[in-house]
Amino acid sequence: MNTSVVLFTADLRLHDHPPLRAALDGADEIVPLFVRDQGVTDAGFAAPNRLAFLADCLRDLDAGLRERGGRLVVRSGDVVAEVCKVAAETGADEVHMAADVSSYAQLREQRLRRALEADGRRLTVHETVTGVVPPGAVTPASSDHFAVFTPYFRRWSQQPPRDTLGAPRSIRVPEGIGSEEPPSRSTVAGTSPGPAAGGETEGRKRLTAWLRSGIAAYEDRHDDLAGDATSRLSPHLHFGTLSAVELVHRARASSGPGAEAFVRQVAWRDFHRQVLAARPAAADDDYRTRHDQWRSERSAGEDIEAWREGRTGYPIVDAAMRQLLHEGWMHNRGRLLAASFLAKTLYVDWRVGARHFLELLVDGDVANNQLNWQWMAGTGTDTRPNRVLNPITQAKRFDPDGAYVRRWVPELAGVRGAAIHEPWKLLGAERARTGDYPDPVVELADGLGRFKRARGRD
Ligand code: FAD
């Protein structure tokens, strides 16, 4: 009997899963394995909101495998040691897994390959599982990666994605392999009050609903903060409960300007992934340093705390930060505004903001989070690094009657219309009704706080 292990990582699904398909084609029995990796916890990456989503994903994956005659094997510990143990216990000669882009993922792959080969086993790593166009598949003439999105997107669009694969009908798992129970979301402490549910079943439902009634209006509505008219598929892409390849095929099949704009946005994900794969240090270091003298956690402590709590006195920023606290998710326009406010207006080191986002975001992702933060901080791939988003003009444009602020900042719920965006201008009884909503932490001039201007003169 010939056996292969399929190591699931950020690809927690049965549909369109090349490692699973290859293992089923090449072996009589397979071991679908997930390791609750101590290394991820040690790296501080096991945030409660993501652990809860992960628990849903593992339960759903186990249920899907059981419907097909198999089951998920769950282990905890060092991922390399656990995979080697399972391979030895079952006599598997091959392990299949997805390629991924972070330095952690790249190191994991190298360590695993070495350990398996030392035992006389093989590691087969599959591209196009966690993204659409793999890092390095398209490059400019003079570099190993694209540093600007528009030319990248042109080349990305010319790469036909591989065909999608159906979910397997049946799966045979060897008898007698020890496994932990898949974890349950109820055992995870410290989650946000209203985070999304995880799992492939949930992701596929959301995708179907999105293609039926969301995507057509995406181009016109994706920046409408109150309309909440984006797909909210990011956690599913992050955990791989949806395949990005399948998503692009199905979005394109729905055609129209909404679909084109949506696919372009999905390409941003691959763009950041190819930057991070080529420059893994950009997770921590400026991609293009501009020698900023950021205010640190020590010098800007109170401002940072106000930002984290959604009490900066700028209602649109506070609404976005409170959405993050409540849902573990934030609208893209809110992320841009919150990041611009911290990095440009308060002139706080982008790493402070990126860390806070990673502590809460269900879709928190090293490539997308760190590189979007760098884009907004002016140290990344933005071709206009001095760009500042003025929270008041942006609020009037993307939340014109204040419905988004009213939803998330109850102190201001009684203020009518766009006046909600500048509560310090309210008078008399209307001002009194805003209760303990704070005054602005900083005055603005062209969207900038005084800090960067002051440092600029140093
Ligand atoms: P939609 O608008 O429906 O877009 C569809 C998909 O395209 C998203 O699910 C996502 O996978 C991809 N996408 C959209 N916009 C971007 C973008 N700017 N960069 C990369 N991919 C994109 N996204 C994450 O997935 N994880 C993060 O940790 C993350 N951190 C961010 C931090 C900051 C400061 C900023 C400005 C953006 C960040 N983003 C991150 C990108 C983006 O905000 C989210 O992907 C998006 O808001 C998710 O909502 P959605 O699924 O409804 O997006």
Side-chain angles (χ1 to χ4, degrees):
M1 200 62 97
N2 173 350
T3 305
S4 285
V5 173
V6 178
L7 175 64
F8 287 88
T9 54
D11 49 352
L12 302 175
R13 62 176 184 268
L14 296 176
H15 292 81
D16 195 39
H17 197 285
L20 185 58
R21 174 58 60 90
L24 287 166
D25 286 349
D28 307 307
E29 293 189 325
I30 64 153
V31 185
L33 173 67
F34 183 83
V35 180
R36 300 171 73 187
D37 186 357
Q38 189 59 40
V40 174
T41 313
D42 293 346
F45 207 69
N49 285 340
R50 284 194 296 284
L51 285 179
F53 195 93
L54 172 67
D56 293 346
C57 295
L58 296 179
R59 295 211 151 222
D60 191 55
L61 185 59
D62 184 46
L65 287 162
R66 284 177 192 276
E67 277 166 24
R68 293 165 173 83
R71 69 192 169 98
L72 184 65
V73 173
V74 180
R75 299 278 175 100
S76 297
D78 171 61
V79 62
V80 172
E82 290 306 316
V83 174
C84 288
K85 258 192 243 166
V86 168
E89 282 167 29
T90 56
D93 48 18
E94 188 169 15
V95 174
H96 293 267
M97 74 180 292
D100 214 338
V101 297
S102 67
S103 56
Y104 185 81
Q106 293 188 38
L107 192 64
R108 174 179 64 196
E109 182 188 318
Q110 289 162 17
R111 284 178 56 221
L112 189 53
R113 186 182 304 284
R114 267 200 305 272
L116 287 169
E117 284 176 359
D119 267 356
R121 303 180 211 282
R122 223 172 31 251
L123 177 67
T124 304
V125 175
H126 299 258
E127 303 285 350
T128 70
V129 185
T130 55
V132 183
V133 173
V138 291
T139 52
S142 56
S143 173
D144 57 354
H145 71 289
F146 277 93
V148 179
F149 177 72
T150 306
Y152 173 75
F153 181 58
R154 213 172 296 127
R155 294 280 302 282
W156 185 93
S157 304
Q158 291 160 359
Q159 293 285 110
R162 63 165 173 76
D163 291 341
T164 49
L165 303 165
R169 292 225 171 84
S170 71
I171 290 171
R172 285 183 54 183
V173 176
E175 303 273 305
I177 317 164
S179 172
E180 298 162 15
E181 264 296 289
S184 151
R185 129 176 328 262
S186 64
T187 62
V188 182
T191 54
S192 294
E200 181 177 19
T201 308
E202 176 66 26
R204 296 191 74 77
K205 251 194 256 163
R206 197 169 266 283
L207 171 61
T208 304
W210 171 247
L211 296 174
R212 196 177 48 230
S213 53
I215 195 169
Y218 183 78
E219 193 180 23
D220 297 333
R221 299 194 59 214
H222 68 275
D223 264 331
D224 171 2
L225 277 158
D228 202 0
T230 65
S231 70
R232 286 186 177 246
L233 291 174
S234 51
H236 293 285
L237 288 168
H238 175 69
F239 284 92
T241 43
L242 276 184
S243 144
V245 168
E246 182 181 351
L247 177 64
V248 167
H249 277 301
R250 290 181 62 183
R252 279 185 177 148
S254 75
S255 73
E260 270 172 44
F262 179 73
V263 168
R264 188 173 200 275
Q265 214 57 28
V266 174
W268 270 100
R269 183 171 176 269
D270 277 358
F271 172 70
H272 290 315
R273 289 163 59 84
Q274 56 97 45
V275 174
L276 187 70
R279 298 286 179 277
D284 300 307
D285 301 340
D286 290 351
Y287 175 73
R288 280 189 186 127
T289 188
R290 303 181 76 224
H291 305 290
D292 284 287
Q293 298 162 44
W294 304 108
R295 294 167 75 217
S296 65
E297 218 141 352
R298 191 181 301 167
S299 60
E302 282 184 17
D303 290 349
I304 295 170
E305 211 36 48
W307 177 81
R308 285 188 183 127
E309 289 175 2
R311 293 187 60 77
T312 65
Y314 287 96
I316 199 76
V317 173
D318 293 343
M321 295 305 293
R322 293 185 196 190
Q323 179 176 30
L324 176 64
L325 287 169
H326 186 85
E327 294 190 359
W329 185 88
M330 195 197 282
H331 191 285
N332 180 57
R333 181 55 48 182
R335 297 187 202 206
L336 288 165
L337 287 172
S340 170
F341 191 80
L342 189 78
K344 295 274 173 66
T345 304
L346 295 178
Y347 201 37
V348 168
D349 193 328
W350 64 266
R351 280 157 279 248
V352 173
R355 201 175 318 123
H356 179 68
F357 270 35
L358 282 184
E359 276 165 21
L360 288 163
L361 282 174
V362 177
D363 64 27
D365 179 277
V366 177
N368 270 352
N369 190 57
Q370 311 305 88
L371 292 166
N372 270 297
W373 267 97
Q374 294 225 45
W375 189 90
M376 198 62 254
T379 59
T381 58
D382 189 1
T383 48
R384 287 172 49 207
N386 292 324
R387 180 195 311 262
V388 184
L389 302 181
N390 182 317
I392 302 175
T393 46
Q394 291 268 313
K396 289 180 181 167
R397 185 160 165 215
F398 298 115
D399 187 30
D401 70 358
Y404 179 69
V405 170
R406 233 165 269 119
R407 186 178 307 154
W408 291 109
V409 186
E411 302 97 298
L412 302 178
V415 184
R416 283 201 297 269
I420 199 169
H421 296 307
E422 296 168 284
W424 55 89
K425 290 188 178 166
L426 297 172
L427 299 171
E430 218 179 2
R431 181 74 192 263
R433 274 206 301 275
T434 63
D436 69 347
Y437 185 71
D439 289 330
V441 288
V442 63
E443 275 180 41
L444 296 182
D446 298 330
L448 280 183
R450 64 181 179 283
F451 310 105
K452 189 171 168 77
R453 284 181 279 129
R455 301 245 164 167
R457 282 198 295 272
D458 283 348

